[in-house]
Amino acid sequence: LNPGETFSAVIQSTVRGTVTSGTSVINTAVAIGNNISPTYVTDTFVTGTPGGEDPDVADLVLTKTHNPSTFVAGASGQSYTITIYNIGDAANASYVLVDTLPQGITTTAGAITVSPSATCNAGLVVNTVSGRSEIVCTRSIPMNPGAVYTITVPVTVDSTAVDPSVNVVTIIGTTDTVGSIAVDTAPVQKPADLSIAKTASGTVVVGGNVTYT
């Protein structure tokens, strides 16, 4: 920062229902710069409202990874793994997860595995949207706090896949209506595609010389 300049940041946070009304919450921030002493500032607030404690809430979180570290067009044994967490304090009544795979990366519903088996109890389908595989996983029964579900998606990578391939998966719950988004970026290696051309120079008469390029 230049002399006289200021910087501000707004951090939104949620007080869980497990924090009882009247609890003092202390938060400390520190600014550290080159060749200057750290500066600390502390803020304190007391939880609770006239209506009582805030209700418990569900909070769905997603992660998505790929295996191996680099996809190879035409290779076998390649997959995505989607993990769903409820890190909230309440059960989430139901959810819908949608994952549209990148161009050139496809799957089928029969190849996908889930754990536990009720992860997509209300349906697991793979649609084709603009030539791309769209995975839709629907759960109609509660996902309890602390629960972790896993969806493993074997994929086929063809030569039209983009390097790198960016994949976005979303989830929306009936209790956690904000939901979550996860993004995975996978490098894609394609086989070499060599071609050769050969031409002769001009018109050649019998007994003459010809040059090929």
Side-chain angles (χ1 to χ4, degrees):
L1 293 177
N2 294 321
E5 287 187 335
T6 61
F7 170 79
S8 63
V10 177
I11 302 174
Q12 296 182 336
S13 59
T14 300
V15 179
R16 298 294 185 194
T18 52
V19 179
T20 58
S21 180
T23 300
S24 294
V25 178
I26 301 173
N27 178 240
T28 302
V30 57
I32 302 174
N34 294 330
N35 302 318
I36 60 174
S37 299
T39 300
Y40 296 85
V41 62
T42 299
D43 177 77
T44 303
F45 68 91
V46 178
T47 62
T49 65
E53 298 177 13
D54 293 334
D56 293 347
V57 294
D59 189 0
L60 301 180
V61 174
L62 286 175
T63 63
K64 183 163 190 180
T65 58
H66 60 273
N67 183 62
S69 58
T70 298
F71 281 162
V72 178
S76 60
Q78 303 180 108
S79 64
Y80 286 111
T81 299
I82 304 167
T83 307
I84 310 167
Y85 305 85
N86 181 1
I87 63 171
D89 306 307
N92 182 78
S94 63
Y95 60 68
V96 176
L97 177 147
V98 179
D99 182 9
T100 302
L101 298 184
Q103 172 186 319
I105 300 179
T106 57
T107 191
T108 60
I112 298 172
T113 59
V114 298
S115 179
S117 59
T119 298
C120 308
N121 77 297
L124 173 63
V125 297
V126 177
N127 304 313
T128 300
V129 180
S130 300
R132 298 165 63 182
S133 293
E134 179 192 68
I135 303 165
V136 181
C137 164
T138 306
R139 180 180 170 89
S140 62
I141 54 180
M143 181 179 187
N144 292 324
V148 180
Y149 301 159
T150 303
I151 304 173
T152 303
V153 184
V155 294
T156 299
V157 182
D158 67 32
S159 60
T160 65
V162 177
D163 179 30
S165 287
V166 179
N167 184 212
V168 179
V169 55
T170 63
I171 191 169
I172 294 291
T174 52
T175 308
D176 178 9
T177 56
V178 175
S180 180
I181 296 175
V183 180
D184 177 81
T185 301
V188 176
Q189 178 182 325
K190 302 180 184 182
D193 185 7
L194 302 179
S195 62
I196 186 169
K198 186 176 182 180
T199 58
S201 59
T203 301
V204 181
V205 297
V206 176
N209 295 325
V210 60
T211 301
Y212 288 103
T213 301

